Amino acid sequence: MLFAHSALAAPGDKEANQGINAAKGGFCKRAIPLLESAESQRHRPSSAVPLADCYAKQGELLKASEIYHTVASEKKEPGYSARDVAAITSAKKKAAQIDARIPTLVVKPVEPYEGLVVEINGEAIGDPSTPQRFDPGVQLVVVARAEGHEESSQKITLKEKQRREIKLRLKPKPAATKPPEKKPPPKPVATKPPEKKPPPKPVATKPPEKKPAPKPVATKPPEKKPAPKPVATKPPEQAAEGKAGAGEVAERPVEMPEPTPPPRRRQRDVWLGAGFQGFFIPQIAFQLLGEGGRNVLVPGGEIALSTRLGGRFDLVFSVAYARFQMPETPFKPKGHPDTDYEIVESDLQALQAGARLVWNIPLDREEVFAFRLGAGIGVGWTFLGDLYRTQAYPADAVPGDPSSFVPGDPYRYKKCRGPNDPAGSFRYCNQLDYDADHYPGYVEPSWFTRPSGRPQGLKPVVYPWLLLPEIGLALRPWDRVAFDLRVGASVTGLLGGLGMRVAL
């Protein structure tokens, strides 16, 4: 039963297992299509929650919130495994966390507008004063229009946890005034003349005295009055530019919010780095203790793990390798005679472990460049190689002629082959003092060893390591990758390093 054949697996289990493993490893681009395919075939909380986790990592917070809330509202069903039950429990906590990260936008009109319509990315918003949720980093185009007002448009971008409010002011359209219509003059009223009445008939009784018939009174028709002239009405004067006219609302500028600056780059707390680290030992360092010496370059490398302390400090733990190889070099202690010159060689190899505290000073807002200043301590161990010392004599001397063995250029001195070998070199190649047996093949003992009757050995086995100060410049071109250039002064010489770090 523990090793069931794949043919017995439920639909989508293969994709779900592959997607869950990819999500755990941080490979969300590979995990998302596998988990989406598994969910389309059969829903399981154990595959839905990793899918939401990957959405959240890629900034698709709305998708992640929807899945978390859906899983959190589920109840344990028959067939759910312990992993499914654990996913339901974790989804409740993750739903609250992801909701706090989702930014919101509120569009608040400064005054009521008739027929106001607000669209965000082409989709009408029912109540713009209600907070609307959007994914961070997505450009939003907010368009507002109302009756009698000009259309307003603006672009904004929200960042995580931002609660943004826009005060909406719309600009009224200019009022179009028409000149009053000219009315036609009133028509004159036509008056009819009064009708003529016939004269009264005489009564048949006594013939009345004939009186002359009255002449009809001529009535003049009423005089025609001239039609009233139309009153010339002047069209209303247009309001001067910038001033409100009669019955016109003064124009108000639309307040556009300031563009939202891009979000700061996410801070990474743990880095793993590696690179070149070397030391330069100048000849003057030898001359502080004696005469002779030469410039020596000590190549090596370093592996380091750093963690962020507070806001600007890094604590760096490192393990480094260094090869202290020095060719044949003349040297004698300060104040000693010329006859004490020796040819010194080294093929020592060492490991160094240390800790450094580094202060980061950003040089720009995105923290692409940063100045670094720090110091460190540690310990070194020469695990391989030896230090060789051989007595030397002037190369211009003539064997057999002691008078020719006189001081010369120490960088041309040759190694003695033995006591008074070559002949006449007894003052240089001798068996006196501490260097009596310093002939070819002699290996210097460590400084924890003191041969009987002789000085303590000079070969360093375990030695302290100090770096003060360390000065550097960091370049972070990508979110998870950074390059470091640093120099400093240490007990083993002048340090120089160039490395690369990767965020974990």
Side-chain angles (χ1 to χ4, degrees):
M1 293 176 63
L2 294 177
F3 301 97
H5 194 271
S6 59
L8 302 178
D13 282 358
K14 179 180 178 182
E15 292 88 343
N17 292 331
Q18 293 177 349
I20 292 171
N21 293 332
K24 287 182 179 179
F27 303 101
C28 282
K29 289 186 178 180
R30 179 184 176 189
I32 287 177
L34 292 170
L35 293 173
E36 288 177 344
S37 175
E39 281 292 294
S40 65
Q41 298 179 58
R42 189 177 70 150
H43 166 69
R44 286 290 184 182
S46 57
S47 59
V49 170
L51 176 59
D53 293 341
C54 281
Y55 282 147
K57 288 181 180 179
Q58 292 193 344
E60 299 181 68
L61 304 187
L62 294 178
K63 285 186 178 180
S65 176
E66 182 181 357
I67 296 176
Y68 285 142
H69 283 285
T70 301
V71 175
S73 63
E74 293 186 30
K75 295 181 180 180
K76 182 179 178 182
E77 297 183 4
Y80 274 12
S81 64
R83 191 164 61 175
D84 293 321
V85 177
I88 294 174
T89 304
S90 66
K92 298 177 181 179
K93 181 179 180 182
K94 292 181 177 181
Q97 293 175 346
I98 202 70
D99 287 345
R101 293 173 54 191
I102 297 176
T104 60
L105 175 65
V106 174
V107 181
K108 188 175 182 181
V110 296
E111 59 183 84
Y113 296 108
E114 185 178 352
L116 176 64
V117 176
V118 177
E119 295 181 355
I120 300 180
N121 286 355
E123 183 177 352
I125 304 301
D127 184 6
S129 61
T130 302
Q132 307 291 326
R133 307 197 310 171
F134 299 95
D135 284 327
V138 177
Q139 188 180 66
L140 305 177
V141 180
V142 182
V143 178
R145 59 178 70 92
E147 294 182 7
H149 293 78
E150 295 183 357
E151 182 179 288
S152 170
S153 177
Q154 55 184 301
K155 297 179 181 179
I156 62 173
T157 303
L158 302 177
K159 58 183 179 181
E160 282 195 17
K161 301 182 180 180
Q162 185 177 8
R163 302 293 179 257
R164 182 73 180 274
E165 179 178 312
I166 297 178
K167 292 185 177 180
L168 181 64
R169 293 181 184 271
L170 295 181
K171 181 179 179 182
K173 294 181 179 179
T177 57
K178 296 182 180 179
E181 296 180 356
K182 294 182 179 180
K183 295 181 180 180
K187 295 180 180 180
V189 180
T191 57
K192 294 181 179 180
E195 294 180 356
K196 296 181 179 180
K197 293 181 180 182
K201 293 180 179 181
V203 181
T205 57
K206 287 182 179 181
E209 294 179 357
K210 291 184 182 179
K211 294 182 179 179
K215 293 180 180 180
V217 179
T219 58
K220 294 181 180 180
E223 294 181 359
K224 294 182 180 179
K225 296 182 180 179
K229 295 180 180 180
V231 180
T233 56
K234 294 182 180 180
E237 295 182 359
Q238 294 184 353
E241 245 182 75
K243 295 183 180 180
E248 186 176 355
V249 181
E251 297 181 359
R252 297 180 182 177
V254 179
E255 292 184 359
M256 301 295 289
E258 295 182 358
T260 304
R264 288 182 177 271
R265 182 177 291 187
R266 180 181 173 187
Q267 181 60 55
R268 303 292 180 176
D269 294 331
V270 182
W271 297 79
L272 180 64
F276 167 80
Q277 174 179 281
F279 300 94
F280 175 70
I281 305 176
Q283 184 177 356
I284 191 174
F286 292 92
Q287 295 176 352
L288 294 176
L289 303 174
E291 299 179 24
R294 70 171 67 246
N295 296 327
V296 179
L297 180 63
V298 181
E302 178 194 47
I303 299 177
L305 179 68
S306 63
T307 181
R308 179 57 58 94
L309 298 178
R312 298 297 181 194
F313 289 92
D314 286 344
L315 183 59
V316 184
F317 300 95
S318 63
V319 177
Y321 165 81
R323 183 171 184 178
F324 293 88
Q325 185 170 12
M326 182 175 66
E328 296 182 356
T329 302
F331 182 79
K332 73 178 182 69
K334 184 173 290 187
H336 284 222
D338 186 75
T339 56
D340 283 351
Y341 264 112
E342 294 181 342
I343 303 296
V344 182
E345 301 174 73
S346 170
D347 58 4
L348 297 173
Q349 301 181 55
L351 290 176
Q352 295 175 340
R356 309 195 310 272
L357 185 64
V358 182
W359 179 28
N360 296 274
I361 306 173
L363 300 180
D364 59 286
R365 186 182 183 279
E366 297 297 325
E367 299 187 19
V368 176
F369 292 93
F371 179 74
R372 292 162 64 90
L373 181 65
I377 58 173
V379 63
W381 170 46
T382 54
F383 68 98
L384 193 64
D386 290 301
L387 180 66
Y388 306 97
R389 298 173 61 187
T390 306
Q391 294 189 52
Y393 68 93
D396 297 332
V398 179
D401 183 4
S403 62
S404 63
F405 287 84
V406 294
D409 182 3
Y411 291 91
R412 299 184 64 245
Y413 280 18
K414 295 182 178 180
K415 295 180 180 179
C416 295
R417 297 188 289 268
N420 197 30
D421 188 2
S425 64
F426 56 86
R427 289 186 296 117
Y428 288 88
C429 308
N430 55 60
Q431 290 181 300
L432 304 175
D433 296 332
Y434 62 89
D435 58 353
D437 55 352
H438 290 188
Y439 294 107
Y442 173 79
V443 177
E444 181 72 12
S446 72
W447 58 12
F448 296 117
T449 305
R450 183 173 186 139
S452 58
R454 295 187 181 178
Q456 186 174 354
L458 299 179
K459 174 187 174 182
V461 178
V462 178
Y463 58 91
W465 179 77
L466 174 66
L467 176 64
L468 182 69
E470 177 189 56
I471 301 173
L473 181 67
L475 170 62
R476 187 182 173 191
W478 301 287
D479 184 48
R480 290 181 172 269
V481 179
F483 299 91
D484 297 318
L485 175 65
R486 58 196 184 98
V487 294
S490 72
V491 295
T492 50
L494 300 177
L495 176 142
L498 178 62
M500 182 181 76
R501 291 179 287 139
V502 178
L504 300 182

